[in-house]
Amino acid sequence: MTAEQLISFARGAPSLDIVDVEGLKAAAARAFDADPAGVTAYGTSVGYLPLRKWIADKHNVSPDQVIVTNGSLQADAFLFGHLVQPGDDVVVEKPTYDRTLLNLQNLGAKVHQVTLQEDGIDIDELRGLLESGVRPKLAHIIPNYQNPAGLTLSAEKRRALLALAEQYEFLIFEDDPYVDIRFRGEALPSMLSLDTNNLVVHASSFTKTVCPGVRVGYLVGPAALIDAIAKKATNLYISPGMVSEAIVHQFCVSGDIEKSVRTVSAALGERAKVLAESIRKHIPGATFTEPDGGYFLWVDLPSDVDVDKLFPAAMKKGVAVVKGSDFLLDGGKSSLRLAYSAVTVDQIDEGVRRIAEAIEEVRTA
């Protein structure tokens, strides 16, 4: 099967038609014209300083509270590597990003998954875990349009999490790369913006709003923590890529970032709507919550559908999906994560129809 025939719901990346290639080309030219010395030099481990300042202003913090990284996954890795020791308790959502699980397990952390409800992590379940004596080093939370579930943490639960973090002395890691890709509803305040006690470290990325290829993300936190991570970054790679960060800086200060966000949000909002309609039409018995933004929709299929069998059957029909079990320590055997970001509207219904055919095959096998 050729790549052209494959319909992929597997990867959370924007399709080329919604990437502002011309805007990026113009930003690259401006970056080299405006600061050739800075763009071509090693730079510093905290990242391209003008972009660092732009990010600091966006989040109303000082620049020494920001480190710019090679994507937000590296921001995650820096924070986990700095804070988490073998045997440390860590709270994550259930389900959560598969690479978060992998990274924490590789560090030897004791990972506790806490159930996601429609309005975010189950606060009562988390409180019960804390009352039982578990003392997490940190809680990893994806508050907006969560990966993989597509759910959003309510304002009430954001404040409740902060209260628990203060009471039980753990750090909230607010991993927030999808926040700007909103289709409906009102934007909610970040936990970083609500924090008055240095309880929150915040990460985000330009992958979802500019393009994945720039590999630019960042971490915002207490200055001492950022400084300690920056020292480790210096030993690891001297500095991240100044060229890509300078391009992103020009893309942002020109206002092209706002146009890009509008383009991506409009396109993905339409795709998410069509995907939901197609699932209702082709896969009766499937349950899901339509996301208010982001890249992903989580589907619970009827319990007699085994995704370990469905995955290869769907691939044979030319459609790629991700198994729900990849995002859980246990369970998810009848669930899928569907990314609608890289598929065009005219591919979605055909892709879901192929999944439905594969479901019938594995049910009758």
Side-chain angles (χ1 to χ4, degrees):
M1 178 171 298
T2 66
E4 288 77 18
Q5 293 172 306
L6 179 69
I7 297 173
S8 179
F9 295 107
R11 195 112 194 239
S15 54
L16 181 59
D17 60 302
I18 57 174
V19 174
D20 184 5
V21 175
E22 293 304 313
L24 284 168
K25 287 164 63 177
R30 291 195 304 274
F32 280 100
D33 287 343
D35 186 17
V39 171
T40 58
Y42 274 116
T44 70
S45 62
V46 297
Y48 186 61
L49 296 180
L51 179 60
R52 186 195 198 199
K53 174 70 164 56
W54 187 89
I55 293 165
D57 291 344
K58 174 182 170 74
H59 290 285
N60 196 30
V61 299
S62 64
D64 64 355
Q65 292 179 257
V66 178
I67 182 171
V68 191
T69 59
N70 291 312
S72 62
L73 184 60
Q74 187 177 67
D76 295 14
F78 275 152
L79 185 68
F80 293 156
H82 183 68
L83 291 181
V84 178
Q85 301 295 318
D88 280 349
D89 291 300
V90 176
V91 167
V92 301
E93 295 159 316
K94 181 180 183 181
T96 193
Y97 183 39
D98 51 352
R99 288 185 176 87
T100 296
L101 280 179
L102 180 64
N103 287 344
L104 289 169
Q105 289 171 320
N106 286 343
L107 288 168
K110 186 176 181 182
V111 180
H112 303 267
Q113 286 203 288
V114 177
T115 304
L116 271 181
Q117 300 171 311
E118 284 200 14
D119 60 346
I121 194 169
D122 186 333
I123 295 293
D124 291 335
E125 184 180 326
L126 175 58
R127 185 180 291 109
L129 184 69
L130 297 167
E131 289 174 350
S132 76
V134 172
R135 291 294 176 267
K137 183 68 66 74
L138 59 85
H140 176 267
I141 305 292
I142 308 172
N144 294 295
Y145 328 125
Q146 197 254 12
N147 180 6
L151 303 173
T152 296
L153 184 67
S154 68
E156 179 184 4
K157 285 189 171 182
R158 293 174 194 229
R159 292 182 171 87
L161 261 176
L162 284 164
L164 286 176
E166 183 173 12
Q167 181 180 354
Y168 290 96
E169 300 181 337
F170 63 86
L171 194 70
I172 296 171
F173 180 27
E174 184 175 38
D175 196 357
D176 206 15
Y178 311 101
V179 57
D180 292 323
I181 310 302
R182 178 165 49 87
F183 317 146
R184 56 177 175 260
E186 295 300 316
L188 296 175
S190 68
M191 287 180 282
L192 177 71
S193 70
L194 298 171
D195 179 25
T196 57
N197 296 299
N198 285 337
L199 300 170
V200 177
V201 176
H202 179 98
S204 195
S205 172
F206 296 96
T207 294
K208 310 303 179 185
T209 52
V210 179
C211 71
V214 295
R215 305 312 305 132
V216 179
Y218 59 88
L219 201 62
V220 181
L225 173 69
I226 296 301
D227 181 62
I229 289 173
K231 286 182 170 65
K232 293 183 177 181
T234 300
N235 295 332
L236 180 66
Y237 55 31
I238 301 177
S239 81
M242 295 295 102
V243 172
S244 60
E245 292 187 10
I247 292 170
V248 169
H249 174 250
Q250 288 293 337
F251 196 81
C252 290
V253 298
S254 70
D256 283 347
I257 184 75
E258 284 84 10
K259 290 188 290 183
S260 183
V261 164
R262 288 194 297 270
T263 297
V264 175
S265 298
L268 269 56
E270 182 183 13
R271 293 173 192 183
K273 182 172 180 285
V274 172
L275 178 59
E277 292 169 351
S278 297
I279 294 169
R280 293 188 187 102
K281 180 169 69 173
H282 295 298
I283 313 178
T287 59
F288 58 91
T289 299
E290 282 192 62
D292 292 332
Y295 276 54
F296 306 106
L297 186 148
W298 179 270
V299 185
D300 291 315
L301 301 171
S303 59
D304 61 341
V305 180
D306 183 346
V307 293
D308 285 335
K309 296 177 181 176
L310 178 62
F311 178 81
M315 283 297 293
K316 286 181 181 177
K317 293 188 175 296
V319 61
V321 297
V322 183
K323 298 181 291 183
S325 52
D326 289 354
F327 305 96
L328 295 153
L329 295 173
D330 59 81
K333 294 295 186 182
S334 298
S335 301
L336 296 175
R337 187 195 75 174
L338 300 179
Y340 43 81
S341 52
V343 284
T344 54
V345 165
D346 58 343
Q347 293 176 311
I348 291 172
D349 191 72
E350 172 62 18
V352 174
R353 189 187 63 76
R354 293 181 191 181
I355 294 171
E357 288 181 355
I359 288 172
E360 290 310 307
E361 281 189 9
V362 301
R363 274 176 155 170
T364 57

